[in-house]
Amino acid sequence: MTDVTAVIAAPPERVWAVLADGWTYAGWVVGASHVRAVDAGWPEIGARIHHSVGPWPLVVHDTTEVVDVEPGRLLELDARSWPLGAARVRMELSRTDEGGTAVLMSEQVVRGPARLLPGPLQAALLIPRNRESLSRLADIVTAGAGTP
């Protein structure tokens, strides 16, 4: 797994509210360009976000599915981006002493051709991407989107 952490200056409830709103997915996930639909019940296990990945006109339609969830604390996803493959993405939230949220984002390619890339090369690609994703998530959270 490749891990990236960030501290967001908002309580975990506000961060979770954004993660629990599937329509914000393309706003914070680097590479996701459009959300086409969100299954009823998101973010329950088995619920999916139907999204597009990549720049137009090279857009690929795919899905991201919840594989584990502890509301307010943990969201684990099977994020597909075929033909490249699929990754397991785990978002863990914990309250900081200052009342903010520490977010740990872990990602590992689990299927497809991208899985053949050596671990250090995967990390070199994923770490900057996921840092930017957490920065975008922080911007959405602190702007007030998805507040309960």
Side-chain angles (χ1 to χ4, degrees):
M1 290 288 247
T2 299
D3 296 339
V4 174
T5 59
V7 175
I8 299 176
E13 297 80 15
R14 287 208 23 219
V15 177
W16 181 257
V18 173
L19 296 176
D21 179 356
W23 291 102
T24 68
Y25 187 81
W28 64 269
V29 174
V30 172
S33 56
H34 178 71
V35 173
R36 300 183 325 276
V38 178
D39 287 357
W42 177 269
E44 296 172 357
I45 292 175
R48 296 180 297 163
I49 293 174
H50 306 263
H51 55 75
S52 301
V53 177
W56 185 89
L58 306 174
V59 175
V60 174
H61 298 305
D62 224 321
T63 60
T64 290
E65 181 177 344
V66 177
V67 294
D68 195 10
V69 64
E70 293 177 32
R73 197 192 80 70
L74 169 78
L75 182 62
E76 190 167 335
L77 306 170
D78 182 59
R80 296 174 40 121
S81 182
W82 290 101
L84 296 176
R88 186 61 49 102
V89 179
R90 186 177 177 95
M91 305 289 290
E92 295 181 59
L93 311 180
S94 59
R95 186 177 307 274
T96 66
D97 291 341
E98 297 77 27
T101 305
V103 181
L104 170 62
M105 182 178 187
S106 303
E107 183 169 359
Q108 181 176 8
V109 178
V110 292
R111 294 189 307 281
R115 188 167 184 240
L116 301 175
L117 295 173
L121 180 55
Q122 285 186 34
L125 296 170
L126 292 175
I127 288 171
R129 175 184 174 272
N130 291 348
R131 280 187 183 140
E132 177 62 21
S133 290
L134 290 180
S135 177
R136 292 178 185 189
L137 177 63
D139 289 344
I140 293 170
V141 169
T142 58
T147 55

